[in-house]
mmCIF file of all heavy atoms in Angstrom:
data_model
loop_
_atom_site.group_PDB
_atom_site.id
_atom_site.type_symbol
_atom_site.label_atom_id
_atom_site.label_comp_id
_atom_site.label_asym_id
_atom_site.label_seq_id
_atom_site.Cartn_x
_atom_site.Cartn_y
_atom_site.Cartn_z
ATOM 1 N N GLY A 63 23.522 -13.105 -29.084
ATOM 2 C CA GLY A 63 23.565 -12.940 -27.621
ATOM 3 C C GLY A 63 23.685 -11.447 -27.205
ATOM 4 O O GLY A 63 23.084 -10.987 -26.252
ATOM 5 N N GLU A 64 24.601 -10.751 -27.907
ATOM 6 C CA GLU A 64 24.689 -9.297 -27.612
ATOM 7 C C GLU A 64 23.482 -8.586 -27.852
ATOM 8 O O GLU A 64 23.159 -7.734 -27.035
ATOM 9 C CB GLU A 64 25.873 -8.829 -28.518
ATOM 10 C CG GLU A 64 26.190 -7.248 -28.349
ATOM 11 C CD GLU A 64 27.186 -6.718 -29.323
ATOM 12 O OE1 GLU A 64 27.639 -7.550 -30.117
ATOM 13 O OE2 GLU A 64 27.470 -5.548 -29.279
ATOM 14 N N LEU A 65 22.670 -8.803 -28.851
ATOM 15 C CA LEU A 65 21.563 -8.076 -29.121
ATOM 16 C C LEU A 65 20.360 -8.308 -28.116
ATOM 17 O O LEU A 65 19.533 -7.457 -27.868
ATOM 18 C CB LEU A 65 21.002 -8.398 -30.585
ATOM 19 C CG LEU A 65 21.812 -7.957 -31.771
ATOM 20 C CD1 LEU A 65 21.275 -8.505 -33.085
ATOM 21 C CD2 LEU A 65 21.792 -6.486 -31.827
ATOM 22 N N TYR A 66 20.412 -9.394 -27.576
ATOM 23 C CA TYR A 66 19.480 -9.785 -26.432
ATOM 24 C C TYR A 66 19.861 -9.142 -25.156
ATOM 25 O O TYR A 66 19.105 -9.135 -24.174
ATOM 26 C CB TYR A 66 19.328 -11.307 -26.324
ATOM 27 C CG TYR A 66 18.175 -11.812 -27.147
ATOM 28 C CD1 TYR A 66 18.389 -12.167 -28.467
ATOM 29 C CD2 TYR A 66 16.926 -12.107 -26.532
ATOM 30 C CE1 TYR A 66 17.234 -12.688 -29.221
ATOM 31 C CE2 TYR A 66 15.833 -12.642 -27.263
ATOM 32 C CZ TYR A 66 16.053 -12.835 -28.590
ATOM 33 O OH TYR A 66 15.020 -13.369 -29.331
ATOM 34 N N LEU A 67 21.149 -8.621 -25.095
ATOM 35 C CA LEU A 67 21.609 -8.241 -23.818
ATOM 36 C C LEU A 67 22.021 -6.674 -23.744
ATOM 37 O O LEU A 67 21.433 -5.945 -22.873
ATOM 38 C CB LEU A 67 22.826 -8.972 -23.338
ATOM 39 C CG LEU A 67 23.278 -8.738 -21.885
ATOM 40 C CD1 LEU A 67 23.662 -10.166 -21.255
ATOM 41 C CD2 LEU A 67 24.436 -7.860 -21.827
ATOM 42 N N SER A 68 22.853 -6.299 -24.607
ATOM 43 C CA SER A 68 23.400 -4.907 -24.449
ATOM 44 C C SER A 68 22.311 -3.751 -24.695
ATOM 45 O O SER A 68 22.199 -2.945 -23.800
ATOM 46 C CB SER A 68 24.580 -4.788 -25.431
ATOM 47 O OG SER A 68 25.284 -3.525 -25.109
ATOM 48 N N PRO A 69 21.722 -3.722 -25.797
ATOM 49 C CA PRO A 69 20.752 -2.599 -25.964
ATOM 50 C C PRO A 69 19.545 -2.695 -25.099
ATOM 51 O O PRO A 69 19.011 -1.632 -24.587
ATOM 52 C CB PRO A 69 20.285 -2.706 -27.405
ATOM 53 C CG PRO A 69 20.558 -4.090 -27.790
ATOM 54 C CD PRO A 69 21.803 -4.478 -27.055
ATOM 55 N N VAL A 70 19.204 -3.898 -24.663
ATOM 56 C CA VAL A 70 18.176 -4.111 -23.686
ATOM 57 C C VAL A 70 18.514 -3.469 -22.309
ATOM 58 O O VAL A 70 17.700 -2.821 -21.667
ATOM 59 C CB VAL A 70 17.897 -5.569 -23.463
ATOM 60 C CG1 VAL A 70 16.896 -5.803 -22.393
ATOM 61 C CG2 VAL A 70 17.265 -6.116 -24.754
ATOM 62 N N GLY A 71 19.840 -3.654 -21.917
ATOM 63 C CA GLY A 71 20.314 -3.028 -20.734
ATOM 64 C C GLY A 71 20.247 -1.557 -20.732
ATOM 65 O O GLY A 71 19.952 -0.812 -19.775
ATOM 66 N N LEU A 72 20.662 -0.924 -21.853
ATOM 67 C CA LEU A 72 20.600 0.471 -21.964
ATOM 68 C C LEU A 72 19.231 1.005 -21.803
ATOM 69 O O LEU A 72 18.927 2.086 -21.192
ATOM 70 C CB LEU A 72 21.173 0.919 -23.317
ATOM 71 C CG LEU A 72 22.734 0.837 -23.594
ATOM 72 C CD1 LEU A 72 23.050 1.151 -25.005
ATOM 73 C CD2 LEU A 72 23.427 1.738 -22.615
ATOM 74 N N SER A 73 18.220 0.327 -22.415
ATOM 75 C CA SER A 73 16.880 0.849 -22.250
ATOM 76 C C SER A 73 16.441 0.721 -20.837
ATOM 77 O O SER A 73 15.661 1.470 -20.314
ATOM 78 C CB SER A 73 16.062 -0.029 -23.230
ATOM 79 O OG SER A 73 14.655 0.360 -23.197
ATOM 80 N N LEU A 74 16.813 -0.493 -20.234
ATOM 81 C CA LEU A 74 16.432 -0.670 -18.823
ATOM 82 C C LEU A 74 16.965 0.493 -17.921
ATOM 83 O O LEU A 74 16.281 0.893 -17.038
ATOM 84 C CB LEU A 74 17.074 -1.993 -18.345
ATOM 85 C CG LEU A 74 16.587 -2.509 -16.970
ATOM 86 C CD1 LEU A 74 15.168 -2.879 -17.018
ATOM 87 C CD2 LEU A 74 17.427 -3.754 -16.593
ATOM 88 N N VAL A 75 18.106 0.992 -18.148
ATOM 89 C CA VAL A 75 18.665 2.034 -17.378
ATOM 90 C C VAL A 75 17.694 3.306 -17.519
ATOM 91 O O VAL A 75 17.404 4.014 -16.534
ATOM 92 C CB VAL A 75 20.077 2.457 -17.801
ATOM 93 C CG1 VAL A 75 20.557 3.698 -17.086
ATOM 94 C CG2 VAL A 75 20.964 1.289 -17.572
ATOM 95 N N SER A 76 17.376 3.593 -18.759
ATOM 96 C CA SER A 76 16.536 4.847 -18.925
ATOM 97 C C SER A 76 15.150 4.656 -18.419
ATOM 98 O O SER A 76 14.533 5.718 -18.014
ATOM 99 C CB SER A 76 16.407 5.076 -20.557
ATOM 100 O OG SER A 76 15.526 4.104 -21.093
ATOM 101 N N LYS A 77 14.673 3.519 -18.167
ATOM 102 C CA LYS A 77 13.413 3.354 -17.454
ATOM 103 C C LYS A 77 13.453 3.389 -16.037
ATOM 104 O O LYS A 77 12.536 3.883 -15.328
ATOM 105 C CB LYS A 77 12.804 1.848 -17.850
ATOM 106 C CG LYS A 77 12.486 1.793 -19.359
ATOM 107 C CD LYS A 77 12.089 0.379 -19.714
ATOM 108 C CE LYS A 77 11.913 0.171 -21.241
ATOM 109 N NZ LYS A 77 11.533 -1.240 -21.502
ATOM 110 N N ILE A 78 14.655 2.930 -15.413
ATOM 111 C CA ILE A 78 14.622 2.783 -13.891
ATOM 112 C C ILE A 78 15.276 3.946 -13.258
ATOM 113 O O ILE A 78 14.782 4.453 -12.118
ATOM 114 C CB ILE A 78 15.485 1.587 -13.578
ATOM 115 C CG1 ILE A 78 14.623 0.259 -13.911
ATOM 116 C CG2 ILE A 78 15.922 1.488 -12.070
ATOM 117 C CD1 ILE A 78 15.312 -1.007 -13.615
ATOM 118 N N ALA A 79 16.280 4.592 -13.909
ATOM 119 C CA ALA A 79 17.032 5.688 -13.301
ATOM 120 C C ALA A 79 16.185 6.958 -12.940
ATOM 121 O O ALA A 79 15.389 7.373 -13.744
ATOM 122 C CB ALA A 79 18.148 6.110 -14.168
ATOM 123 N N PRO A 80 16.359 7.535 -11.644
ATOM 124 C CA PRO A 80 15.724 8.755 -11.319
ATOM 125 C C PRO A 80 16.234 9.767 -12.355
ATOM 126 O O PRO A 80 17.430 9.810 -12.660
ATOM 127 C CB PRO A 80 16.233 9.035 -9.880
ATOM 128 C CG PRO A 80 16.547 7.580 -9.417
ATOM 129 C CD PRO A 80 17.095 6.857 -10.507
ATOM 130 N N PRO A 81 15.415 10.734 -12.663
ATOM 131 C CA PRO A 81 15.753 11.719 -13.705
ATOM 132 C C PRO A 81 17.116 12.437 -13.471
ATOM 133 O O PRO A 81 17.926 12.704 -14.342
ATOM 134 C CB PRO A 81 14.605 12.704 -13.733
ATOM 135 C CG PRO A 81 13.441 11.931 -13.228
ATOM 136 C CD PRO A 81 14.106 10.985 -12.227
ATOM 137 N N ARG A 82 17.308 12.840 -12.204
ATOM 138 C CA ARG A 82 18.562 13.584 -11.937
ATOM 139 C C ARG A 82 19.828 12.801 -11.712
ATOM 140 O O ARG A 82 20.871 13.253 -11.433
ATOM 141 C CB ARG A 82 18.306 14.435 -10.649
ATOM 142 C CG ARG A 82 17.286 15.532 -10.853
ATOM 143 C CD ARG A 82 17.119 16.430 -9.608
ATOM 144 N NE ARG A 82 16.171 17.465 -9.758
ATOM 145 C CZ ARG A 82 15.825 18.350 -8.940
ATOM 146 N NH1 ARG A 82 16.463 18.361 -7.702
ATOM 147 N NH2 ARG A 82 14.940 19.271 -9.133
ATOM 148 N N MET A 83 19.626 11.399 -11.926
ATOM 149 C CA MET A 83 20.768 10.564 -11.690
ATOM 150 C C MET A 83 21.014 9.562 -12.948
ATOM 151 O O MET A 83 21.714 8.606 -12.793
ATOM 152 C CB MET A 83 20.451 9.617 -10.430
ATOM 153 C CG MET A 83 20.410 10.459 -9.201
ATOM 154 S SD MET A 83 20.014 9.306 -7.729
ATOM 155 C CE MET A 83 21.503 8.361 -7.637
ATOM 156 N N ILE A 84 20.464 10.016 -14.103
ATOM 157 C CA ILE A 84 20.565 9.241 -15.252
ATOM 158 C C ILE A 84 21.946 8.891 -15.663
ATOM 159 O O ILE A 84 22.276 7.842 -16.044
ATOM 160 C CB ILE A 84 19.636 9.876 -16.371
ATOM 161 C CG1 ILE A 84 19.839 8.989 -17.581
ATOM 162 C CG2 ILE A 84 20.157 11.279 -16.738
ATOM 163 C CD1 ILE A 84 19.083 7.630 -17.477
ATOM 164 N N SER A 85 22.865 9.962 -15.736
ATOM 165 C CA SER A 85 24.226 9.725 -16.068
ATOM 166 C C SER A 85 24.943 8.773 -15.092
ATOM 167 O O SER A 85 25.708 7.907 -15.527
ATOM 168 C CB SER A 85 24.998 11.014 -16.239
ATOM 169 O OG SER A 85 24.453 11.840 -17.283
ATOM 170 N N LEU A 86 24.656 8.989 -13.833
ATOM 171 C CA LEU A 86 25.295 8.081 -12.815
ATOM 172 C C LEU A 86 24.814 6.662 -13.017
ATOM 173 O O LEU A 86 25.643 5.723 -12.922
ATOM 174 C CB LEU A 86 24.930 8.519 -11.439
ATOM 175 C CG LEU A 86 25.440 7.719 -10.174
ATOM 176 C CD1 LEU A 86 26.958 7.714 -10.186
ATOM 177 C CD2 LEU A 86 24.935 8.265 -8.907
ATOM 178 N N PHE A 87 23.573 6.475 -13.274
ATOM 179 C CA PHE A 87 23.063 5.089 -13.482
ATOM 180 C C PHE A 87 23.689 4.482 -14.804
ATOM 181 O O PHE A 87 23.936 3.252 -14.867
ATOM 182 C CB PHE A 87 21.512 5.008 -13.578
ATOM 183 C CG PHE A 87 20.921 4.825 -12.199
ATOM 184 C CD1 PHE A 87 21.138 5.742 -11.134
ATOM 185 C CD2 PHE A 87 20.212 3.648 -11.985
ATOM 186 C CE1 PHE A 87 20.535 5.468 -9.964
ATOM 187 C CE2 PHE A 87 19.617 3.419 -10.731
ATOM 188 C CZ PHE A 87 19.825 4.294 -9.695
ATOM 189 N N MET A 88 23.856 5.307 -15.815
ATOM 190 C CA MET A 88 24.555 4.782 -16.944
ATOM 191 C C MET A 88 25.964 4.330 -16.609
ATOM 192 O O MET A 88 26.459 3.334 -17.112
ATOM 193 C CB MET A 88 24.567 5.849 -18.085
ATOM 194 C CG MET A 88 23.292 5.989 -18.857
ATOM 195 S SD MET A 88 22.985 4.643 -19.868
ATOM 196 C CE MET A 88 21.436 5.125 -20.672
ATOM 197 N N GLY A 89 26.570 5.109 -15.700
ATOM 198 C CA GLY A 89 27.910 4.740 -15.229
ATOM 199 C C GLY A 89 27.915 3.453 -14.486
ATOM 200 O O GLY A 89 28.831 2.645 -14.681
ATOM 201 N N ILE A 90 26.854 3.148 -13.681
ATOM 202 C CA ILE A 90 26.741 1.873 -13.070
ATOM 203 C C ILE A 90 26.649 0.711 -13.961
ATOM 204 O O ILE A 90 27.223 -0.397 -13.845
ATOM 205 C CB ILE A 90 25.485 1.865 -12.053
ATOM 206 C CG1 ILE A 90 25.807 2.858 -10.964
ATOM 207 C CG2 ILE A 90 25.352 0.540 -11.425
ATOM 208 C CD1 ILE A 90 24.632 3.106 -10.018
ATOM 209 N N TRP A 91 25.806 0.927 -15.092
ATOM 210 C CA TRP A 91 25.610 -0.044 -16.160
ATOM 211 C C TRP A 91 27.056 -0.367 -16.826
ATOM 212 O O TRP A 91 27.350 -1.538 -16.934
ATOM 213 C CB TRP A 91 24.654 0.401 -17.149
ATOM 214 C CG TRP A 91 24.682 -0.455 -18.464
ATOM 215 C CD1 TRP A 91 25.203 -0.192 -19.609
ATOM 216 C CD2 TRP A 91 24.089 -1.785 -18.543
ATOM 217 N NE1 TRP A 91 24.953 -1.197 -20.553
ATOM 218 C CE2 TRP A 91 24.309 -2.221 -19.815
ATOM 219 C CE3 TRP A 91 23.408 -2.654 -17.631
ATOM 220 C CZ2 TRP A 91 23.926 -3.433 -20.333
ATOM 221 C CZ3 TRP A 91 22.997 -3.891 -18.084
ATOM 222 C CH2 TRP A 91 23.300 -4.279 -19.375
ATOM 223 N N PHE A 92 27.779 0.707 -17.075
ATOM 224 C CA PHE A 92 29.090 0.430 -17.774
ATOM 225 C C PHE A 92 30.087 -0.145 -16.668
ATOM 226 O O PHE A 92 31.103 -0.658 -17.170
ATOM 227 C CB PHE A 92 29.618 1.802 -18.330
ATOM 228 C CG PHE A 92 28.806 2.239 -19.537
ATOM 229 C CD1 PHE A 92 28.314 3.482 -19.596
ATOM 230 C CD2 PHE A 92 28.561 1.352 -20.614
ATOM 231 C CE1 PHE A 92 27.504 3.804 -20.704
ATOM 232 C CE2 PHE A 92 27.840 1.733 -21.708
ATOM 233 C CZ PHE A 92 27.298 3.033 -21.732
ATOM 234 N N LEU A 93 29.887 0.062 -15.407
ATOM 235 C CA LEU A 93 30.643 -0.488 -14.410
ATOM 236 C C LEU A 93 30.783 -2.063 -14.589
ATOM 237 O O LEU A 93 31.822 -2.700 -14.282
ATOM 238 C CB LEU A 93 30.266 -0.128 -13.012
ATOM 239 C CG LEU A 93 31.195 -0.457 -11.927
ATOM 240 C CD1 LEU A 93 32.540 0.246 -12.090
ATOM 241 C CD2 LEU A 93 30.586 -0.119 -10.626
#
């Protein structure tokens, strides 16, 4: 279950986040 969810989410952040807000979007994921 974790493998289907956690790394997939990290990759999703890197695809969606605007370049200058990547760390902030990572923060939203961890929120």
Side-chain angles (χ1 to χ4, degrees):
E64 179 184 1
L65 290 174
Y66 266 83
L67 190 140
S68 189
V70 172
L72 287 173
S73 181
L74 188 65
V75 174
S76 71
K77 295 173 184 176
I78 288 179
R82 295 184 179 181
M83 300 176 67
I84 180 66
S85 293
L86 178 62
F87 269 63
M88 281 292 178
I90 294 173
W91 169 254
F92 291 125
L93 189 63

